[in-house]
Every structure is written in C-alpha cells, then in structure tokens.
Amino acid sequence: MLESLPEIRRMLAHDVQAAFDGDPASIGPDEIIFCYPGLEAITVHRIAHQLYQQQVPLIPRIMSEWSHGQTGIDIHPGARIGPSFFIDHGTGVVIGETTEIEANVKVYQGVTLGALSFPKDGEGNLVRGTKRHPTIEEGVVIYANATVLGGDTIVGHHSVIGASVSLTKSIPPNTVVTIDKPSLRFREAS
Amino acid sequence: MATDFRKKEALSDLTDRIVDSYEEIGTINHLGHCPLPNAQEVISIVNDIKEVLYPGYRRRQNLHLGNVAYYVGDLIDSLHDRLTTQIARSLRWAADVRGEDTCSREKIIDFEAARTGERHPDARVAPGNPADARA
C-alpha cells in the first residue's frame, strides 16, 4: 500500500487543483488543504481504496467510516474515482461501493450516488457483488441534493444534473437535467 | 458527587450479569487471544499517511528539503510496521469468519511469518493475495 503513496500524491494534487478551479471562494491550495472536507474525504478514500483493491478486509471500512464521521461525506472504499474530483461543501454526500466516477467530476452537498432496491436470491439473501451504483462520465457536475441511482445508470460526459433531481436512468453526453421550479407563494407576514 | 455505597455493592452482581451475557449473546463480542484490527491504530495510521501526503500542513512544522527525508523516512518505517500488523489481523479475522482455525498456536506463528515476509510452508492465510496486501 505504501508503494502507492507517490501516485496517490499525484492524484491529490489534481484534486486540490480541481477544488481551486471549481470554487470561486477558494483563495488557494493552502486553504483547500487546511480546510476543505471534500479534500479530506477524497484523501482518506484514495488510501482506503488502495487497500480495498488489495482485498484487505475491514481496514478500508474503518478508515472510510472514520472519515464519514469527520466530514459528513460517506464514500465506500470500493468506489472508483478518477482524478480531479471535487466535492464542494460535502455534507451529506453518499457514494456507493460500485460507483464509477471518471475525471473532472464535481458534486455538491447532499448528492447521493446510490443503489435501487437490492435484488435477493432464492433464499431471500441480498445478492452481493453486482454493480448497483451509477457510472458518472468525465466532466459531469451534480448539484446539491441530487440523487442518481442504479447500476445501469450512466450519466454521459459533460452533463449537468440540477439540484434535487432524482435520476434512475441513463442520460446521453452533454445533457442538462433539471426539475420544474415549484411555484412559490408570497404573503405578508402577520 | 459522593459515592452511594449501597449501589456500589450491587455492581459486582451487575458485572456478573454483563459477563454472562458475553456467552449468551456471542455475536457482538470478540473474546480470545487473536486481536481484531485496532480502530484507533488504523486512524492513527491514516493521520500519519496524511502527514506524508501533505508535509508541513498537519502536525510537524518547520520542514524543509534538508530535513523532510528524515521525518518522512521515520514515518514510513513506522507505518510499515503498524500497517502490516493491522493487515495481518484483518486477514486473520477474515479467515476466522470462513471458519478456519487461525487462532491456534501454530496458526498464530504462521500469520506472524506472513507479517514479517517469512513464508511458513504451511501458512494458511486468506486465499487470494495476502502477501500482496502487505504494507
């Protein structure tokens, strides 16, 4: 695992740059390394994922759930996440075990990359080891509280998923998905 | 706050009932001579790895190119030992879950051999690539 630290550093340098490029409030890499929970979460994830790939039991989950408690960001160590990944704000983000995320993806707080209902075998036990979580192609942005579910769901590259969208089917590249704005009522406060 | 001696005298009975429950409900305690991975140690390992990944940002300050190799070298050496121990424990846990008798004296030696890179001829470690999973 320690052999992979130089490569993890290279990946994290891209993640820091992605945070700077993706957040106009950031004043520079130092602030991101000190302060950003998204970088903290992806740092621990890249360590835990390395151990997960080496089929080390328990320890990757101990790491990821500790990070979950620290940051409010829940990334299963099995998730495959490409370079230049940025989680802005972060609280409430959930990324499931079989999620695949390509390069240059940005997600906001409350985003869930999750599974649909779990299939069971003939004896009623959960079927494990299948792809249950979505694939997010390169350059996708997913705004706050959006939910993308299902192992067959592919979000095409450079698409944008609007806030609070719930998506359970694939969309082609360069697609913008939004929900109709709810009507608002205004009245004078009593 | 003053101790209520009447209640303290009942604590031994409470302790007995709790310990009895370890036999009655064996699914949420791990008692034996083969320890599980240590969560606090794993967290300490993560924090040390972050110190290696982001030198100068976390704990140790006043690092420069003239001293950073000493500092990181010491961390890496420590990480290697501690991570290997935790990985060996987790592999043994996985073998136990599969019903293998890994906690007998002979098997403990086998796991220690795997941990230190000395392959015991009868070493029974997790199928797949436990040796590859060394730190």
Side-chain angles (χ1 to χ4, degrees), chain B residues 21-30:
Chain B
S21 80
Y22 297 153
E23 290 193 76
E24 180 187 348
I25 309 165
T27 52
I28 55 171
N29 46 258
H30 178 88

Side-chain angles (χ1 to χ4, degrees), chain A residues 1-3 5 8-9 12 30 33-34 39-40 43-44 47 51 54-59 62-63 66, chain B residues 37 39 42-43 46-47 49-50 53-54 57-58 76 80 83 86-87 90-91 93-94 129 132-135:
Chain A
M1 186 272 147
L2 297 175
E3 288 287 332
L5 289 182
I8 289 176
R9 282 205 85 231
L12 292 171
D30 289 341
I33 296 168
F34 275 126
L39 183 71
E40 180 76 11
T43 299
V44 176
I47 298 166
L51 291 166
Q54 293 178 309
Q55 299 176 26
V56 174
L58 283 181
I59 293 174
I62 293 173
M63 292 178 171
W66 173 71
Chain B
V42 170
I43 292 163
V46 172
N47 281 322
I49 293 175
K50 286 192 293 184
L53 294 171
Y54 303 111
Y57 283 97
R58 293 293 191 260
I76 290 289
H80 179 270
L83 190 54
Q86 298 306 314
I87 290 172
S90 72
L91 291 172
W93 166 82
N129 56 351
D132 297 339
R134 273 186 237 126

Side-chain angles (χ1 to χ4, degrees), chain B:
Chain B
M1 178 182 164
T3 297
D4 184 337
F5 290 105
R6 291 166 300 179
K7 289 186 176 176
K8 277 190 74 81
E9 286 171 0
L11 293 184
S12 64
D13 178 60
L14 170 63
T15 302
D16 288 343
R17 284 186 283 125
I18 292 171
V19 172
D20 287 346
S21 80
Y22 297 153
E23 290 193 76
E24 180 187 348
I25 309 165
T27 52
I28 55 171
N29 46 258
H30 178 88
L31 301 175
H33 299 290
C34 293
L36 295 169
N38 183 304
Q40 288 304 314
E41 180 68 359
V42 170
I43 292 163
S44 172
I45 286 168
V46 172
N47 281 322
D48 278 2
I49 293 175
K50 286 192 293 184
E51 188 77 353
V52 173
L53 294 171
Y54 303 111
Y57 283 97
R58 293 293 191 260
R59 296 194 301 256
R60 175 72 181 267
Q61 297 193 301
N62 301 314
L63 287 170
H64 51 79
L65 285 175
N67 64 9
V68 71
Y70 296 103
Y71 181 58
V72 171
D74 184 48
L75 283 173
I76 290 289
D77 189 69
S78 166
L79 280 166
H80 179 270
D81 293 346
R82 293 150 60 213
L83 190 54
T84 303
T85 298
Q86 298 306 314
I87 290 172
R89 288 182 177 189
S90 72
L91 291 172
R92 185 165 56 207
W93 166 82
D96 285 344
V97 169
R98 289 193 301 273
E100 299 174 19
D101 176 21
T102 62
C103 212
S104 65
R105 181 172 177 76
E106 295 76 14
K107 300 305 185 302
I108 292 172
I109 294 170
D110 289 345
F111 272 96
E112 287 301 304
R115 185 178 79 82
T116 57
E118 300 165 8
R119 301 307 301 275
H120 187 285
D122 299 324
R124 289 173 61 196
V125 286
N129 56 351
D132 297 339
R134 273 186 237 126

Side-chain angles (χ1 to χ4, degrees), chain A residues 49-104:
Chain A
H49 182 65
Q50 190 65 35
L51 291 166
Y52 179 92
Q53 284 187 306
Q54 293 178 309
Q55 299 176 26
V56 174
L58 283 181
I59 293 174
R61 282 306 292 279
I62 293 173
M63 292 178 171
S64 65
E65 290 305 327
W66 173 71
S67 173
H68 182 189
Q70 295 285 304
T71 66
I73 298 167
D74 180 0
I75 310 177
H76 191 285
R80 293 165 57 181
I81 301 179
S84 299
F85 181 57
F86 176 37
I87 304 171
D88 202 358
H89 305 289
T91 308
V93 166
V94 177
I95 300 176
E97 178 181 18
T98 61
T99 304
E100 294 177 56
I101 298 174
E102 295 184 359
N104 300 304

Side-chain angles (χ1 to χ4, degrees), chain A residues 155-183:
Chain A
V155 177
H157 64 80
H158 298 98
S159 291
V160 176
I161 311 297
S164 299
V165 162
S166 182
L167 184 69
T168 57
K169 63 180 182 181
S170 297
I171 58 171
N174 299 297
T175 303
V176 176
V177 185
T178 56
I179 56 176
D180 291 334
K181 286 184 179 176
S183 60

